[in-house]
Amino acid sequence: MEISWHLWVLTLVVLSLLIGADFLIGRKPHDVSIREAATWTVVWTVLAALFGLGLWIVLGDGRAAQEFFAGFVTEKSLSVDNLFVFVLIMAKFAVPSQLQQRVLLVGVLIALVLRAVFIAAGAAIVASFSWVFYLFGAFLIYTAWKLIQEARKDEDEEEFEENRLLKSIEKKFGVADRYHGTKLFVRAGGKRVLTPLMVVMLAIGTTDVLFALDSIPAIFGLTQDPYIVFTANAFALMGLRQLYFLLGGLLKKLVHLGYGLSVILGFIGVKLVLHALHESGLNVPVVSVPVSLGVICGVLVLTTITSLIASRRRTAER
């Protein structure tokens, strides 16, 4: 699918306006209520649905819309796994509740910019080397196996560990000993240093890059169009902040989420390998987009149901 630069510019402008509106509405630090989180979660979901339908109407391409919805659902489900780490980061840095929404907004924006770089690099590689699908497929299958191993572990004692990039930034610029409202930099001892708020934002944004290592290959397994890959990621990430507050304590009840995500990644990994074999001239079955969307949604629904049942049983046993 050929996307003109005019459509790219229009899309970036509209997304920027939506992000700007989101920022202005939530610019005043406050505790996010369930009602506010639910409202904005619905808003971003509806906007994603309208965008997908717009692709169908404007481009007259039903396949593009199907690929967008499949990519959006996949990225959204994988992003939910990010929330577990976000909870650990918030606890690690003892972020005041009224500042958490600002942390997530800026952190997610950093993540979106970094993912855009990943997507551009991935698109260039896919366009130049068809054999990369073998690598993507094998990596996703390996990641699926790792997720199963992690899902079996007891994660009650899990803690967030800062990555090397974050540690180097803290060492170079220094960090203030307390929060200073929404300020990102302050002067301490005659030197300009980072506030803990800035460090947390960087932690959220850079940690998300690690998750992009499996989510980007996963969505390239559903579509090779950079425009769809980027927009699906954008809509999935921009609704992540509200989802964090909406789900809250429910995250711990999604005990089977790791298994569900492993099935999805494994399925897409096999799909990528089959696609690579087909491109090599072998007569192998190719999984269609509607089938992919059906499998992904089915796994998520089943995982959610079994998770809630298992959580209820654990609560009853206690």
Side-chain angles (χ1 to χ4, degrees):
M1 182 177 67
E2 289 293 332
I3 299 296
S4 66
W5 68 269
H6 300 87
L7 184 56
W8 267 107
V9 171
L10 178 62
T11 301
L12 292 175
V13 169
V14 172
L15 282 174
S16 298
L17 290 175
L18 290 173
I19 293 170
D22 192 9
F23 182 83
L24 289 175
I25 293 173
R27 67 184 181 278
K28 184 178 180 181
H30 65 284
D31 292 321
V32 178
S33 65
I34 296 296
R35 182 176 180 180
E36 179 184 347
T39 300
W40 276 100
T41 297
V42 171
V43 167
W44 280 106
T45 302
V46 170
L47 288 173
L50 291 175
F51 179 82
L53 293 175
L55 282 178
W56 201 323
I57 296 172
V58 174
L59 300 179
D61 190 346
R63 180 180 176 82
Q66 292 173 358
E67 289 179 349
F68 170 78
F69 285 124
F72 172 75
V73 172
T74 299
E75 292 300 312
K76 199 71 171 179
S77 61
L78 291 172
S79 294
V80 171
D81 201 33
N82 296 21
L83 297 183
F84 288 97
V85 179
F86 291 174
V87 169
L88 295 177
I89 293 175
M90 295 293 189
K92 168 80 173 181
F93 293 96
V95 182
S97 59
Q98 68 271 19
L99 293 177
Q100 290 184 7
Q101 53 89 23
R102 177 65 63 87
V103 167
L104 289 170
L105 176 59
V106 178
V108 166
L109 285 177
I110 294 173
L112 182 57
V113 172
L114 294 177
R115 284 200 181 200
V117 176
F118 270 63
I119 291 168
I125 293 173
V126 167
S128 302
F129 309 102
S130 60
W131 50 262
V132 77
F133 288 113
Y134 288 112
L135 296 180
F136 280 0
F139 177 73
L140 289 180
I141 293 172
Y142 171 75
T143 304
W145 179 78
K146 291 288 291 182
L147 273 178
I148 292 177
Q149 300 302 310
E150 292 176 6
R152 291 168 139 179
K153 294 179 181 178
D154 183 6
E155 298 180 349
D156 291 340
E157 301 299 324
E158 186 177 359
E159 293 184 1
F160 170 73
E161 294 184 5
E162 298 179 21
N163 55 58
R164 290 183 180 180
L165 175 61
L166 194 59
K167 288 180 178 179
S168 63
I169 292 175
E170 291 178 4
K171 184 176 181 180
K172 181 176 181 179
F173 294 97
V175 182
D177 58 356
R178 64 182 178 86
Y179 286 90
H180 293 264
T182 58
K183 292 182 179 179
L184 303 181
F185 298 91
V186 294
R187 297 199 71 84
K191 179 183 178 183
R192 197 183 190 203
V193 298
L194 305 174
T195 64
L197 185 67
M198 183 62 171
V199 176
V200 179
M201 290 176 177
L202 292 174
I204 295 286
T206 55
T207 300
D208 181 81
V209 173
L210 299 178
F211 290 94
L213 293 178
D214 55 40
S215 66
I216 298 301
I219 194 171
F220 270 111
L222 300 169
T223 175
Q224 285 81 60
D225 193 303
Y227 180 77
I228 296 178
V229 173
F230 174 75
T231 51
N233 267 273
F235 279 104
L237 282 179
M238 289 315 302
L240 192 59
R241 177 169 65 97
Q242 290 76 18
L243 203 58
Y244 172 88
F245 295 105
L246 180 62
L247 292 180
L250 289 177
L251 285 174
K252 293 184 178 180
K253 294 184 178 181
L254 299 178
V255 294
H256 294 161
L257 179 63
Y259 294 106
L261 294 180
S262 67
V263 171
I264 291 173
L265 290 178
F267 167 76
I268 298 176
V270 172
K271 181 180 184 295
L272 276 171
V273 174
L274 290 175
H275 174 77
L277 292 172
H278 180 77
E279 290 295 310
S280 299
L282 296 178
N283 186 20
V284 296
V286 177
V287 183
S288 66
V289 177
V291 171
S292 298
L293 183 57
V295 170
I296 293 167
C297 291
V299 170
L300 290 176
V301 170
L302 182 61
T303 299
T304 301
I305 294 174
T306 59
S307 292
L308 295 178
I309 292 174
S311 296
R312 186 175 300 176
R313 286 178 179 175
R314 289 184 182 181
T315 302
E317 291 174 356
R318 292 174 183 173

